[in-house]
Amino acid sequence: MNYKIRSIRADEWAAAKELRLVALKDPVAHLAFLETYDTALAQPDSFYQERAVGAAEGAEKAQQIIAEGPDGEWVGTVTVLLEEAGTVDWAGFAVERKQGHLVGVFVRPEVRGIGLTEVLFDAALEWAWGRGVERVRLIVHEDNERARRFYGKVGFVPTGVVVPLGGNADERELEMVVERP
């Protein structure tokens, strides 16, 4: 595999924006992301600049990790957010212990199936464990079978926590976790 796995640098916001927009055009984006392509496209550059600074190499509370192809093209990404015990998460749930939260998982379709997602997850977990988290979690739409199968394959297990989606009581997301080894 001739791909470089690394954290983004703060000045790479434009590449991060471009990959996010590609991800939001994926056929299952409506199940995988809490943002639409149009909403993301309408964000000013300052939004992506701030996001990159907050998740770049050396950042303390988040890390965006990418897979970079031999030609320099970014072909995959995952972001790890740190959640501190005693806080409340984005969905309004109490965070009971220090944990990592994986978000924004995406690999371009043309390179899926070659192990990049596994390598991205390994790097994300390594970063999180290095910050003293007790577990790493993610939230996945109950209808996103491809993602749920992959997450199970790499060791994430359902916790039973169900996160309702916005105004639609018929749609739910499920929490999956991996405990610190």
Side-chain angles (χ1 to χ4, degrees), residues 57-72:
E57 186 175 51
E60 294 295 319
K61 299 193 182 291
Q63 199 75 180
Q64 182 176 359
I65 300 165
I66 54 113
E68 184 177 14
D71 59 358

Side-chain angles (χ1 to χ4, degrees), residues 27-36 90-91 93 139-144 148 161-175:
V28 296
H30 67 287
L31 297 178
F33 303 109
L34 297 176
E35 177 179 48
T36 66
W90 63 273
F93 291 95
I139 308 294
V140 61
H141 195 284
E142 65 184 344
D143 293 338
N144 194 342
R148 288 176 54 203
V161 172
V162 175
V163 179
L165 276 179
N168 191 343
D170 295 334
E171 289 192 53
R172 306 175 316 153
E173 294 205 326
L174 311 173
E175 181 184 67

Side-chain angles (χ1 to χ4, degrees), residues 16-87:
K17 175 183 177 179
E18 187 270 333
L19 188 59
R20 179 66 174 183
L21 293 173
V22 169
L24 291 170
K25 286 185 173 180
D26 190 272
V28 296
H30 67 287
L31 297 178
F33 303 109
L34 297 176
E35 177 179 48
T36 66
Y37 176 84
D38 291 337
T39 302
L41 185 62
Q43 292 288 358
D45 288 347
S46 60
F47 173 83
Y48 291 98
Q49 291 163 349
E50 290 172 22
R51 182 182 266 186
V53 167
E57 186 175 51
E60 294 295 319
K61 299 193 182 291
Q63 199 75 180
Q64 182 176 359
I65 300 165
I66 54 113
E68 184 177 14
D71 59 358
E73 180 183 41
W74 291 11
V75 297
T77 185
V78 62
T79 299
V80 188
L81 309 174
L82 290 186
E83 298 175 327
E84 295 292 337
T87 62

Side-chain angles (χ1 to χ4, degrees), residues 113-160:
I114 65 169
L116 282 177
T117 312
E118 289 89 338
V119 176
L120 285 165
F121 267 57
D122 287 346
L125 291 173
E126 182 180 327
W127 186 86
W129 302 142
R131 267 107 200 118
V133 303
E134 297 179 37
R135 71 181 197 154
V136 175
R137 71 177 184 150
L138 52 83
I139 308 294
V140 61
H141 195 284
E142 65 184 344
D143 293 338
N144 194 342
E145 284 296 323
R146 181 182 77 198
R148 288 176 54 203
R149 275 193 311 274
F150 171 77
Y151 299 147
K153 185 176 110 177
V154 295
F156 284 78
V157 295
T159 64

